[in-house]
Amino acid sequence: MASSALQWVGLLLGGAGAVGTVAVTIMPQWKVSAFIGSNIVVFETLWEGLWMSCRSHTNLRLQCKVYDSLLALPTDLQAARGLMCAACALAALASLAAALGMRCTRCAGAEAKAKGATLLAAGVLFMVVGVAVLAPVSWVAASIIRDFYDPTLDDGRKRELGEALYLGWVSALLLVAGGAVLSCVSYVPGEGGRPRYQLPARRAAPRSWRSERKPGSLPSRSQYV
């Protein structure tokens, strides 16, 4: 029972991390305009993501434009786009493998050993996806911080950390945690941590009239009549 509960915990953590990975890939809030120094235009906010850049105005109007060329993007965003797309594909594959490896899932010809191997593969894939998400998010964050403290860069070109980066770190943590739980649970033998086959219980031997008789007591003469 505890093993099945841990499997559900690992699947939910990994699934939440996979959904967060897709959301981070789509969100445009990777880089947000910084209002510092001479950049005092506070009625307009600039967002830069992997696929588009958006301008948010104070009157709740949002204008987005898809990037015309991939090669025109900075190096960190180019690498982040490729890694995040690969992470989304691996997250979907890991979620499918985890669902098939659950003990509550019935598959034709699936044995306990095969399910354990599938669950282990899903756990490893989730951890790989977590690292694949953590790398581009941390790389973009490091480049933003480096440019922010660069005195030679104009204040209007400096950016701050966007909401997508924080969501990316949380998603990476959930993916690694879910993968670790699934990898550990895959080694539990049998269902519920018990062996698959058990020896039958011993049957109680029938008691004879000789065993019911007290030792040392002899039958009386009236019993023979």
Side-chain angles (χ1 to χ4, degrees):
M1 189 57 126
S3 176
S4 300
L6 288 176
Q7 286 183 3
W8 279 107
V9 170
L11 180 61
L12 291 177
L13 289 176
V19 173
T21 300
V22 177
V24 170
T25 307
I26 299 174
M27 290 175 62
Q29 294 95 337
W30 281 65
K31 297 181 179 182
V32 182
S33 57
F35 303 108
I36 57 174
S38 59
N39 187 18
I40 58 175
V41 185
V42 296
F43 61 86
E44 185 178 73
T45 304
L46 177 63
W47 298 339
E48 295 181 13
L50 301 180
W51 310 97
M52 64 184 72
S53 61
C54 299
R55 291 183 181 272
S56 176
H57 301 272
T58 55
N59 55 359
L60 302 179
R61 187 178 60 179
L62 184 64
Q63 295 178 344
C64 296
K65 180 183 178 182
V66 181
Y67 296 130
D68 297 329
S69 175
L70 174 63
L71 300 178
L73 293 177
T75 307
D76 53 352
L77 292 183
Q78 292 182 19
R81 180 186 287 192
L83 286 175
M84 293 303 295
C85 291
C88 290
L90 290 178
L93 182 61
S95 301
L96 179 60
L100 293 177
M102 297 283 290
R103 286 195 175 92
C104 60
T105 305
R106 303 300 180 189
C107 297
E111 298 181 356
K113 186 176 181 180
K115 281 183 171 292
T118 304
L119 207 62
L120 177 61
V124 173
L125 275 178
F126 273 131
M127 289 188 285
V128 171
V129 174
V131 175
V133 172
L134 183 63
V137 169
S138 301
W139 187 3
V140 173
S143 65
I144 293 174
I145 296 173
R146 184 189 65 245
D147 294 340
F148 187 86
Y149 291 105
D150 188 2
T152 61
L153 192 64
D154 187 18
D155 293 338
R157 299 175 57 187
K158 292 182 179 181
R159 300 290 182 263
E160 290 184 355
L161 304 178
E163 292 83 355
L165 300 181
Y166 297 103
L167 181 58
W169 282 319
V170 175
S171 300
L173 180 61
L174 291 176
L175 287 167
V176 173
V181 171
L182 291 178
S183 300
C184 295
V185 173
S186 64
Y187 285 103
V188 178
E191 185 173 358
R194 293 176 297 180
R196 190 174 181 183
Y197 300 103
Q198 296 181 355
L199 294 176
R202 293 183 178 180
R203 296 182 179 179
R207 299 177 62 184
S208 60
W209 66 274
R210 296 180 181 274
S211 60
E212 294 178 356
R213 189 182 58 186
K214 294 182 179 180
S217 61
L218 297 177
S220 59
R221 293 182 178 180
S222 61
Q223 293 178 353
Y224 288 101
V225 177

